[in-house]
Amino acid sequence: MNKEQCVLVCGVGERASAVARRLIGEGYATVLHQERPPRALRRRMCYADAWYDGIATLGGVEARRADRASEFLCGMQTRQFLPLLLRPLEEVVERWPWDVIIAAPDHDGRPARSLDNLAELTIGVGSGFVAGTDCDLVIATEGLDPGAVLRAGDVAGRRGADRLALDYWDVIATAEGDFVSRLNIGDRVEAEEILGFLGEEPVRAPVAGRISGLARPEQMALPGAPIAEIATSDRAPVAGVAERNKLIARGVSFAVEMETGGWTPVSIGAR
C-alpha cells in the first residue's frame, strides 16, 4: 500500500466530496478539481461552497481553494486539508504527475472528456463511463451494490433513486432571476411557507419538511431548474455524507488500494 500516491478527484458534489474525504482520511495526497462554478443544492453534504467562499467542511474534513501554489503544496504535504483547484483540467494534468485521477459527477451522464491515459490509474464513478475505453475502472453508484468495481464495460444508471427512497422534493424556478433565500439548509418549513424570493416574487415550499438544498445567491436561477430542495422524510440526510456515498467512497478506496498494490480488485464484470 503506497500512501504517497497523488490523487486528483474531479468534482465537488456529493460523490466526489465523499470520495476525496475518504481518501485523504486514509493518508493519500488528495486534491479536488472543479473548473466551473458548481450548482450543487445540498451544500452541507459536499465541498461546493469552497469554490465560492474559499473554505468548506464536511464531516470534520476541510477543503480549501488553492489559489496559490503554496496552498496546493501545503495541502498535499500535510494532508491536513483538501486543496481545491479551479484551473482547466488540461493545465492541472500537465503541471503535476498524478498517480490516480477519479471523476465523480453527481449526475449520471458521459463526462466531457475521456480519462484514458491521463494517469497511471483512472476511475469513473457512475454511469456514463466505460471501463477499458475511457477509463481503467468504473465504480457502480446505484442498484443493490453501490461501490462495486468494474474492470470492463459500464453500469446502468438510475438517476434520482435516492429521491424515490427518501422523498426529496425539488423547488423549481418559474422564471430567470436572482433567488434570495430567507431560510437556511436544515431549517424546517411548512407547506406554502415562503422560502425566499425570485426577483420580487415569493417562492413557497410545495411540501412540509426540512430544507436539504439551496442554490447559491451568486447563481442566476434558470426557468425549470431547481433552486431549492426539501426532504419530507426524517430519514433523508441534509448534512454530512449519505450512506450510499459512503459505500461508493469505500469502493473507490478499495479499487485504488488494490490496483496500486498490484492486486486484482473484485469485479462484478461487464453487463
Side-chain angles (χ1 to χ4, degrees), residues 36-61:
R36 295 184 177 86
R39 298 188 68 87
L41 295 181
R42 299 180 192 173
R43 295 185 282 108
R44 290 182 60 188
M45 299 180 72
C46 67
Y47 289 120
D49 279 348
W51 202 97
Y52 300 92
D53 300 332
I55 190 170
T57 301
L58 177 65
V61 179

Short mmCIF file of all heavy atoms in Angstrom, two decimals, residues 36-61:
data_model
loop_
_atom_site.label_atom_id
_atom_site.label_comp_id
_atom_site.label_asym_id
_atom_site.label_seq_id
_atom_site.Cartn_x
_atom_site.Cartn_y
_atom_site.Cartn_z
N ARG A 36 -15.62 24.83 -13.36
CA ARG A 36 -16.75 25.73 -13.50
C ARG A 36 -17.49 25.90 -12.17
O ARG A 36 -17.44 25.02 -11.31
CB ARG A 36 -17.71 25.20 -14.56
CG ARG A 36 -17.12 25.17 -15.96
CD ARG A 36 -18.16 24.72 -16.97
NE ARG A 36 -17.63 24.74 -18.33
CZ ARG A 36 -16.96 23.75 -18.89
NH1 ARG A 36 -16.73 22.64 -18.18
NH2 ARG A 36 -16.52 23.84 -20.12
N PRO A 37 -18.21 27.01 -12.00
CA PRO A 37 -18.97 27.20 -10.76
C PRO A 37 -19.96 26.06 -10.54
O PRO A 37 -20.78 25.79 -11.42
CB PRO A 37 -19.70 28.53 -11.00
CG PRO A 37 -18.91 29.24 -12.04
CD PRO A 37 -18.35 28.16 -12.92
N PRO A 38 -19.90 25.39 -9.41
CA PRO A 38 -20.83 24.27 -9.16
C PRO A 38 -22.23 24.78 -8.85
O PRO A 38 -22.40 25.87 -8.29
CB PRO A 38 -20.22 23.58 -7.95
CG PRO A 38 -19.47 24.66 -7.24
CD PRO A 38 -18.94 25.56 -8.31
N ARG A 39 -23.23 23.98 -9.20
CA ARG A 39 -24.62 24.35 -8.95
C ARG A 39 -25.26 23.40 -7.94
O ARG A 39 -26.48 23.18 -7.96
CB ARG A 39 -25.42 24.36 -10.25
CG ARG A 39 -24.91 25.37 -11.28
CD ARG A 39 -25.85 25.49 -12.46
NE ARG A 39 -27.11 26.10 -12.11
CZ ARG A 39 -27.34 27.41 -12.10
NH1 ARG A 39 -26.37 28.26 -12.41
NH2 ARG A 39 -28.52 27.89 -11.76
N ALA A 40 -24.47 22.84 -7.07
CA ALA A 40 -24.98 21.89 -6.08
C ALA A 40 -25.97 22.58 -5.14
O ALA A 40 -25.74 23.72 -4.70
CB ALA A 40 -23.83 21.29 -5.28
N LEU A 41 -27.05 21.90 -4.82
CA LEU A 41 -28.02 22.40 -3.86
C LEU A 41 -27.74 21.90 -2.45
O LEU A 41 -27.85 22.65 -1.48
CB LEU A 41 -29.44 21.98 -4.26
CG LEU A 41 -29.99 22.54 -5.57
CD1 LEU A 41 -31.41 22.02 -5.79
CD2 LEU A 41 -29.99 24.06 -5.57
N ARG A 42 -27.34 20.62 -2.33
CA ARG A 42 -27.10 20.04 -1.00
C ARG A 42 -25.71 20.43 -0.52
O ARG A 42 -24.79 19.62 -0.41
CB ARG A 42 -27.24 18.52 -1.06
CG ARG A 42 -28.62 18.05 -1.48
CD ARG A 42 -28.66 16.54 -1.52
NE ARG A 42 -29.87 16.05 -2.18
CZ ARG A 42 -30.09 14.77 -2.47
NH1 ARG A 42 -29.18 13.86 -2.16
NH2 ARG A 42 -31.20 14.41 -3.07
N ARG A 43 -25.56 21.69 -0.20
CA ARG A 43 -24.22 22.24 0.04
C ARG A 43 -23.65 21.87 1.39
O ARG A 43 -22.45 22.04 1.62
CB ARG A 43 -24.27 23.76 -0.13
CG ARG A 43 -24.61 24.15 -1.58
CD ARG A 43 -24.54 25.65 -1.81
NE ARG A 43 -25.69 26.36 -1.31
CZ ARG A 43 -25.72 27.15 -0.25
NH1 ARG A 43 -24.62 27.31 0.48
NH2 ARG A 43 -26.82 27.78 0.12
N ARG A 44 -24.47 21.33 2.30
CA ARG A 44 -23.93 20.83 3.58
C ARG A 44 -23.53 19.36 3.48
O ARG A 44 -23.11 18.77 4.46
CB ARG A 44 -24.96 21.03 4.69
CG ARG A 44 -25.17 22.49 5.08
CD ARG A 44 -26.15 22.65 6.22
NE ARG A 44 -25.71 21.95 7.42
CZ ARG A 44 -26.45 21.80 8.51
NH1 ARG A 44 -27.69 22.29 8.54
NH2 ARG A 44 -25.98 21.15 9.56
N MET A 45 -23.64 18.80 2.25
CA MET A 45 -23.27 17.41 2.04
C MET A 45 -22.13 17.30 1.03
O MET A 45 -21.88 16.22 0.48
CB MET A 45 -24.49 16.62 1.57
CG MET A 45 -25.63 16.63 2.58
SD MET A 45 -27.08 15.69 2.05
CE MET A 45 -26.46 14.02 2.20
N CYS A 46 -21.46 18.41 0.76
CA CYS A 46 -20.37 18.39 -0.21
C CYS A 46 -19.46 19.61 0.01
O CYS A 46 -19.67 20.39 0.93
CB CYS A 46 -20.91 18.38 -1.64
SG CYS A 46 -21.77 19.89 -2.12
N TYR A 47 -18.47 19.75 -0.87
CA TYR A 47 -17.50 20.83 -0.76
C TYR A 47 -17.75 21.97 -1.75
O TYR A 47 -16.87 22.79 -1.99
CB TYR A 47 -16.08 20.28 -0.99
CG TYR A 47 -15.58 19.43 0.14
CD1 TYR A 47 -15.23 18.10 -0.08
CD2 TYR A 47 -15.42 19.94 1.43
CE1 TYR A 47 -14.74 17.30 0.96
CE2 TYR A 47 -14.95 19.16 2.46
CZ TYR A 47 -14.61 17.84 2.23
OH TYR A 47 -14.13 17.05 3.25
N ALA A 48 -18.96 22.07 -2.31
CA ALA A 48 -19.23 23.07 -3.33
C ALA A 48 -19.00 24.50 -2.83
O ALA A 48 -18.54 25.37 -3.59
CB ALA A 48 -20.66 22.92 -3.85
N ASP A 49 -19.29 24.78 -1.57
CA ASP A 49 -19.16 26.14 -1.06
C ASP A 49 -17.71 26.62 -1.04
O ASP A 49 -17.45 27.83 -1.04
CB ASP A 49 -19.75 26.26 0.35
CG ASP A 49 -21.26 26.42 0.32
OD1 ASP A 49 -21.82 26.67 -0.77
OD2 ASP A 49 -21.89 26.28 1.39
N ALA A 50 -16.75 25.69 -1.02
CA ALA A 50 -15.34 26.10 -1.04
C ALA A 50 -15.00 26.82 -2.34
O ALA A 50 -14.09 27.66 -2.37
CB ALA A 50 -14.43 24.89 -0.85
N TRP A 51 -15.68 26.50 -3.41
CA TRP A 51 -15.44 27.15 -4.71
C TRP A 51 -15.70 28.66 -4.59
O TRP A 51 -14.97 29.47 -5.16
CB TRP A 51 -16.33 26.54 -5.77
CG TRP A 51 -15.85 26.72 -7.19
CD1 TRP A 51 -15.14 25.84 -7.94
CD2 TRP A 51 -16.04 27.88 -8.01
NE1 TRP A 51 -14.88 26.37 -9.18
CE2 TRP A 51 -15.43 27.62 -9.26
CE3 TRP A 51 -16.68 29.10 -7.83
CZ2 TRP A 51 -15.42 28.53 -10.31
CZ3 TRP A 51 -16.68 30.02 -8.87
CH2 TRP A 51 -16.06 29.73 -10.10
N TYR A 52 -16.75 29.03 -3.83
CA TYR A 52 -17.15 30.42 -3.69
C TYR A 52 -16.50 31.10 -2.47
O TYR A 52 -16.01 32.22 -2.55
CB TYR A 52 -18.66 30.52 -3.55
CG TYR A 52 -19.42 29.98 -4.73
CD1 TYR A 52 -19.85 28.64 -4.75
CD2 TYR A 52 -19.73 30.78 -5.82
CE1 TYR A 52 -20.55 28.14 -5.82
CE2 TYR A 52 -20.44 30.28 -6.90
CZ TYR A 52 -20.84 28.95 -6.90
OH TYR A 52 -21.54 28.45 -7.97
N ASP A 53 -16.55 30.41 -1.33
CA ASP A 53 -16.14 31.02 -0.06
C ASP A 53 -14.67 30.79 0.27
O ASP A 53 -14.15 31.40 1.20
CB ASP A 53 -16.99 30.45 1.08
CG ASP A 53 -18.47 30.72 0.87
OD1 ASP A 53 -18.82 31.73 0.21
OD2 ASP A 53 -19.30 29.91 1.35
N GLY A 54 -14.01 29.88 -0.46
CA GLY A 54 -12.61 29.59 -0.19
C GLY A 54 -12.40 28.46 0.79
O GLY A 54 -11.30 27.92 0.88
N ILE A 55 -13.45 28.07 1.51
CA ILE A 55 -13.30 27.01 2.51
C ILE A 55 -14.66 26.37 2.76
O ILE A 55 -15.70 27.03 2.68
CB ILE A 55 -12.72 27.58 3.83
CG1 ILE A 55 -12.34 26.47 4.79
CG2 ILE A 55 -13.68 28.57 4.47
CD1 ILE A 55 -11.54 26.97 5.98
N ALA A 56 -14.67 25.07 3.02
CA ALA A 56 -15.88 24.33 3.38
C ALA A 56 -15.46 23.10 4.17
O ALA A 56 -14.37 22.56 3.96
CB ALA A 56 -16.68 23.93 2.15
N THR A 57 -16.34 22.64 5.06
CA THR A 57 -16.05 21.48 5.89
C THR A 57 -17.14 20.44 5.73
O THR A 57 -18.33 20.77 5.69
CB THR A 57 -15.94 21.89 7.37
OG1 THR A 57 -14.90 22.86 7.52
CG2 THR A 57 -15.60 20.69 8.24
N LEU A 58 -16.73 19.19 5.62
CA LEU A 58 -17.66 18.07 5.51
C LEU A 58 -17.22 16.98 6.47
O LEU A 58 -16.12 16.43 6.33
CB LEU A 58 -17.69 17.53 4.08
CG LEU A 58 -18.57 16.31 3.82
CD1 LEU A 58 -20.04 16.64 4.05
CD2 LEU A 58 -18.35 15.79 2.40
N GLY A 59 -18.02 16.71 7.46
CA GLY A 59 -17.69 15.65 8.42
C GLY A 59 -16.35 15.85 9.09
O GLY A 59 -15.62 14.88 9.31
N GLY A 60 -16.01 17.09 9.41
CA GLY A 60 -14.76 17.39 10.10
C GLY A 60 -13.54 17.49 9.22
O GLY A 60 -12.44 17.76 9.72
N VAL A 61 -13.70 17.29 7.91
CA VAL A 61 -12.57 17.38 6.98
C VAL A 61 -12.77 18.63 6.12
O VAL A 61 -13.83 18.84 5.54
CB VAL A 61 -12.47 16.14 6.09
CG1 VAL A 61 -11.32 16.27 5.10
CG2 VAL A 61 -12.29 14.89 6.95
#
